[in-house]
Amino acid sequence: MTGIERDELREVSAAVLAVTSHLSVRDVLQTILTTARRLLDARYAALGVPDNKGSFREFLADGISDEQWAAIGPVPRQHGLLGLMLCDPNPVRLADIRDHPKFGWWPAAHPELTDFLGMPIVDGEEILGELFLANSRRPGGFTAADEELLRLLAAHAAIALVNARLYERSRELSIVEERNRIARELHDAVTQKLFSLRLTADAAASLLREDPDRAGAVLDGVRKLAAEATEELRAIVVGQRPVDLTGDDLSVALRKQVDLLDRVHDAEVRFAGRCVPRLSDDRLEGVYRVAQEAMHNALRHAEAGRIDVNLLCRNGYVVLEVTDDGRGFDPLAAGEATRRLGLASMRERARTLSGQLTVTSSPGAGTTVRLAVPTDA
C-alpha cells in the first residue's frame, strides 16, 4: 500500500468513525464533506439536506470563507441541477457544469464552478440529500474512481441521516410515553385527591350554619387534602426533567427542540448559539422552559412565518432571545392577549432564577422575548 493510499484510508476511516461517534449530525456531515473535498482534491464542496418547503434544512459548504458565504446570500432553493439530484439517484459527472441543460445561474458573489461531481445521498429508494464537488485541482477533472469514492462517503452520510431520523422518532416516542405516564399519575393520585377535596368542601359548606364547630373540623380536613395534593403535584413536576436536557448542553438541547418544531410546523424555526457555561439544574431547566413557552406562543398565537432562537453568554449572564415576525401585541395591555401568551408564567420563572425577562412587541411588528440568567460562576 502506497503512502497516498494509506492517507486515503485514514481519511475514510475518520469519516466512518464520525458517523459512529456522539457528534451532532451537522458535525458528522461536515466531517464527511471536508473529507470528500480533501480526498478528491477539489476546490469546493457542498452538502444539502432538503426540507419540504422547496429549500434545504441543512446546507454545508467547504472551501469558501465565512465572508464569501455571507456575500453569496441565502441558502439555495431546490431548482436546476440541485433539484434534479434530489429526484434522480444517479451521480452526475461533468467537465463543465454550465454545459448541463438544467444549469441556471448562481449569485454574483458565488465562485465560478467548472468541472463537477454530484452524488445523491440515498437510503433504499429515498433520496435524503446530495453531496457534490467542483473545480478539481487535478488535470483532467474528476474520474470514475473519484465517483466511487464519493459514493462511499455519500453512503456514510446516509447512515448518519437515517440514525438521526431514528433518534428523533425514538425521542418523540419517549415524550409521548412520558406524557402518558404523567397523565396516569395525575389520574391515579391527584385527581382522586381533588375529588375528595371537593366533596369535603361541600360537606363543610353545608355544615357551616348548622354546626360551625363540626364545619371547622371538616375544613381542617380540606386543608390537609389540599396540602397532600400540592405535595403530590410537586413530586410529579420535580421528576419531569426535559428529555432533551438529559446529558446534553443547553445549546444542543435547544437546537434539537428547534429542529423538531421546524419539521412539524409551517413556520421556519432557526437556532443560533454555542455551548454556554454550566448552569445548575434549576437554571438549565428554567431557561429551556422559557424558550419552549416563547416558541410555542409564537407558533400558536402569533401567526409567525419565522422564529429565531439565539443563545449566548455575555457579561456573566446566559442570554436567551426568541424573536418572531408574527402579529405582535401590546405587552402592557391587560386581558386575554397577556394571559394567553403566558407572560406571567415566564416572568415568575425568571424571578425564581434570579434572572431578568423583557418582552418587546407591538401590534404588527412581531415579538422578542429576552431572558438573562446569571451563570453559576
Side-chain angles (χ1 to χ4, degrees):
M1 180 180 292
T2 68
I4 294 177
E5 289 173 334
R6 280 195 296 271
D7 289 342
E8 289 187 352
L9 182 59
R10 190 177 298 112
E11 294 280 0
V12 173
S13 175
V16 174
L17 290 174
V19 175
T20 59
S21 72
H22 296 292
L23 297 174
S24 70
V25 178
R26 187 180 181 89
D27 288 340
V28 171
L29 296 179
Q30 186 66 58
T31 299
I32 292 172
L33 180 63
T34 302
T35 300
R37 187 175 74 86
R38 194 157 48 224
L39 281 177
L40 276 65
D41 203 10
R43 180 68 183 86
Y44 305 109
L47 188 154
V49 179
D51 59 17
N52 58 1
K53 306 170 188 175
S55 185
F56 288 87
R57 178 165 56 88
E58 292 277 9
F59 197 88
L60 310 176
D62 197 55
I64 63 173
S65 66
D66 292 341
E67 291 76 17
Q68 287 176 300
W69 181 247
I72 290 172
V75 170
R77 306 287 296 174
Q78 297 174 22
H79 57 71
L81 190 51
L82 295 184
L84 174 66
M85 290 173 58
L86 295 175
C87 303
D88 188 341
N90 296 305
V92 177
R93 182 155 50 100
L94 303 165
D96 193 324
I97 187 175
R98 292 165 293 191
D99 293 337
H100 194 279
K102 285 287 187 178
F103 173 76
W105 58 278
W106 49 55
H110 196 285
E112 184 173 322
L113 307 183
T114 53
D115 45 336
F116 177 90
L117 176 58
M119 184 68 62
I121 301 171
V122 179
D123 175 47
E125 296 183 354
E126 183 181 3
I127 298 177
L128 305 177
E130 54 194 12
L131 173 62
F132 60 87
L133 307 173
N135 295 28
S136 173
R137 291 190 175 98
R138 300 170 184 167
F142 298 110
T143 66
D146 293 333
E147 187 176 308
E148 286 306 307
L149 183 55
L150 192 61
R151 191 191 305 275
L152 173 64
L153 292 170
H156 293 314
I159 293 171
L161 291 170
V162 170
N163 285 347
R165 181 181 294 176
L166 291 174
Y167 171 77
E168 288 300 331
R169 287 176 180 170
S170 68
R171 191 168 66 90
E172 290 166 20
L173 181 60
S174 296
I175 292 171
V176 171
E177 291 174 346
E178 186 69 3
R179 286 175 178 167
N180 290 339
R181 186 186 70 79
I182 295 170
R184 288 194 301 271
E185 289 191 11
L186 287 172
H187 179 270
D188 294 343
V190 181
T191 302
Q192 293 180 24
K193 276 284 191 313
L194 292 177
F195 181 68
S196 298
L197 182 63
R198 178 182 173 185
L199 291 179
T200 308
D202 288 344
S206 64
L207 289 169
L208 201 55
R209 291 184 178 180
E210 301 175 3
D211 192 344
D213 292 338
R214 189 178 173 193
V218 174
L219 285 174
D220 285 338
V222 169
R223 283 193 292 270
K224 181 180 178 181
L225 286 171
E228 290 175 358
T230 300
E231 286 303 314
E232 290 184 358
L233 272 173
R234 182 180 292 115
I236 293 173
V237 171
V238 166
Q240 302 319 304
R241 181 177 172 84
V243 175
D244 277 344
L245 291 177
T246 305
D248 275 344
D249 171 84
L250 179 60
S251 60
V252 175
L254 283 176
R255 186 182 295 278
K256 290 179 181 178
Q257 179 72 7
V258 165
D259 287 346
L260 177 62
L261 294 177
D262 184 59
R263 286 199 295 276
V264 300
H265 290 276
D266 292 334
E268 181 182 8
V269 190
R270 291 290 179 262
F271 175 79
R274 55 183 182 274
C275 293
V276 298
R278 182 171 294 277
L279 296 174
S280 65
D281 287 347
D282 288 345
R283 285 178 175 166
L284 185 68
E285 182 173 344
V287 175
Y288 184 84
R289 293 300 194 191
V290 169
Q292 279 188 315
E293 178 72 23
M295 287 188 287
H296 290 165
N297 285 338
L299 290 167
R300 285 195 302 263
H301 308 304
E303 299 177 359
R306 180 181 175 109
I307 302 167
D308 290 293
V309 181
N310 295 291
L311 184 71
L312 55 94
C313 188
R314 179 182 296 158
N315 299 327
Y317 282 81
V318 172
V319 180
L320 167 77
E321 288 186 347
V322 181
T323 302
D324 69 68
D325 63 355
R327 59 188 182 184
F329 68 105
D330 182 358
L332 299 179
E336 178 64 20
T338 300
R339 185 190 68 79
R340 188 178 63 202
L341 287 169
L343 296 182
S345 172
M346 288 191 285
R347 285 177 174 141
E348 174 61 20
R349 194 179 290 275
R351 186 189 64 78
T352 61
L353 300 174
S354 301
Q356 302 167 350
L357 183 91
T358 57
V359 179
T360 305
S361 185
S362 59
T367 301
T368 295
V369 176
R370 185 180 188 273
L371 173 67
V373 174
T375 63
D376 294 333

